[in-house]
Amino acid sequence: MADILVLTTGGTIDKLYFDALSEYQIGDSVVDRLLATARVRKPFRVQGLMRKDSLDLDDADRAAIAAAVAEAPERQIVITHGTDTMTETARALAQIAGKTIVLVGALAPARFADSDASFNLGMAFAAAQVAPPGVWIAMNGTIFPAAHVRKDRGANAFVPV
């Protein structure tokens, strides 16, 4: 069994830019590549759940994420997620006991040179190992208790509440 489960749901971290369409689309997850590049040796497994922008997630999607977390044998879970509704999904996970769940995203796609994705994923991976059970959000160089954070769209950052 892996020590850490990484669930991928889509979001900016996995977005691609298509010039012909002048828009972003969710591509294949880059999580395996990012963790390989970081030379992570802690046993983990990656499971793709969905490839959606978080604005397109609904209650059924959140229920599927919660079910995957609850059913996983791992007690340390990292979830890649779009930033716009990350706190909503965190609320849907709040009743899962005995697991450390860390949601993480990026404000720029991982495929971009100036992306925050690698740093955020590394923080989430570390937080899953040391934070107590509960739901956390790893963004902007900070580990936030999920119930006490919000995305400030004007500042393009997560801030405590």
Side-chain angles (χ1 to χ4, degrees):
M1 180 178 78
D3 291 344
I4 297 176
L5 171 62
V6 183
L7 297 173
T8 64
T9 67
T12 297
I13 197 168
D14 285 325
K15 283 190 176 178
L16 302 165
Y17 183 72
F18 291 96
D19 288 330
L21 301 174
S22 297
E23 64 184 32
Y24 290 97
Q25 293 183 355
I26 307 292
D28 291 333
S29 180
V30 297
V31 168
D32 280 315
R33 182 180 57 80
L34 293 176
L35 293 173
T37 299
R39 294 173 178 81
V40 171
R41 295 293 175 248
K42 184 80 168 163
F44 67 91
R45 72 179 172 104
V46 177
Q47 177 182 339
L49 287 182
M50 55 198 70
R51 293 182 357 192
K52 289 187 168 187
D53 187 291
S54 72
L55 291 172
D56 295 329
L57 293 177
D58 57 25
D59 290 340
D61 295 322
R62 287 185 181 81
I65 294 167
V69 170
E71 294 167 7
E74 295 88 353
R75 300 179 68 74
Q76 300 166 326
I77 315 283
V78 172
I79 302 171
T80 64
H81 196 287
T83 59
D84 287 312
T85 65
M86 190 180 285
T87 56
E88 291 175 42
T89 298
R91 282 192 295 276
L93 299 168
Q95 301 307 313
I96 299 173
K99 295 191 179 197
T100 302
I101 305 161
V102 185
L103 287 98
V104 63
L107 298 171
R111 291 169 175 87
F112 287 15
D114 62 349
S115 176
D116 56 334
S118 293
F119 184 79
N120 291 343
L121 181 61
M123 285 196 59
F125 206 84
Q129 296 175 62
V130 300
V135 184
W136 306 87
I137 290 179
M139 290 293 299
N140 305 115
T142 304
I143 306 300
F144 299 96
H148 302 287
V149 66
R150 69 177 179 83
K151 182 178 179 183
D152 180 336
R153 284 181 177 76
N156 203 27
F158 279 72
V159 297
V161 293

